[in-house]
Amino acid sequence: MERLYNGGCDYRTMSPLNLAFVGDGVYDLFVREWLACSGNYPVGKLHRLKVEKVCCKAQAEFMNALMPKLTEEELAIFKRGRNAHTCHTPKNATSETYHTATGLEALIGYIYLKGDIPRVREILSLIEKT
């Protein structure tokens, strides 16, 4: 599989929050597809299961388990995302949890926009094991 949109973009100079914007969508789509393929559940149940996996707390826990498996380049992108200044913190998450989740999303967005789909799959498939 290739990227869905094949237009050019300079992911190397993109802001970490723009990378997180894309990574959030990629992460969300992966979780939705994984859950839908896991069983023919009612949509309401699928939504509840998705919310459990896509929330800041779950993403931060996943990121903490993923850290030892990252390359130096990936770790640097995660840190850029984590340290990005955001104007928003959800009411159900600490600032640290929110920033860690943002770093994960930036990492996924970066790898996806880079076009390294096998690596995106490798990272996201670890969700099933955590």
Side-chain angles (χ1 to χ4, degrees):
M1 176 182 166
E2 298 177 18
R3 286 183 24 218
L4 296 173
Y5 173 72
N6 286 321
C9 81
D10 190 1
Y11 60 89
R12 287 183 182 95
T13 60
M14 196 174 281
S15 81
L17 295 178
N18 282 0
L19 293 172
F21 175 76
V22 173
D24 178 50
V26 173
Y27 189 91
D28 188 76
L29 179 59
F30 173 82
V31 170
R32 285 172 183 259
E33 184 177 347
W34 165 40
L35 293 172
C37 292
S38 296
N40 197 11
Y41 300 108
V43 175
K45 181 173 181 172
L46 286 172
H47 178 72
R48 284 188 299 279
L49 292 169
K50 188 228 26 140
V51 169
E52 289 175 15
K53 298 288 185 189
V54 178
C55 69
C56 290
K57 182 179 177 208
Q59 288 178 326
E61 289 171 2
F62 172 60
M63 187 64 223
N64 290 330
L66 179 63
M67 287 269 236
K69 298 171 174 71
L70 298 179
T71 67
E72 286 183 36
E73 176 188 26
E74 292 168 347
L75 189 58
I77 295 299
F78 161 72
K79 288 178 180 179
R80 277 183 57 212
R82 181 194 63 196
N83 296 336
H85 177 71
T86 60
C87 299
H88 172 261
T89 301
K91 59 184 171 187
N92 296 332
T94 66
S95 180
E96 179 183 353
T97 300
Y98 181 72
H99 286 285
T100 300
T102 302
L104 170 65
E105 291 170 348
L107 172 64
I108 292 169
Y110 178 84
I111 297 169
Y112 175 80
L113 290 173
K114 183 179 175 181
D116 192 353
I117 305 306
R119 182 61 174 154
V120 173
R121 281 190 188 116
E122 183 181 340
I123 287 173
L124 292 176
S125 71
L126 296 172
I127 295 171
E128 298 174 81
K129 298 175 178 111
T130 56

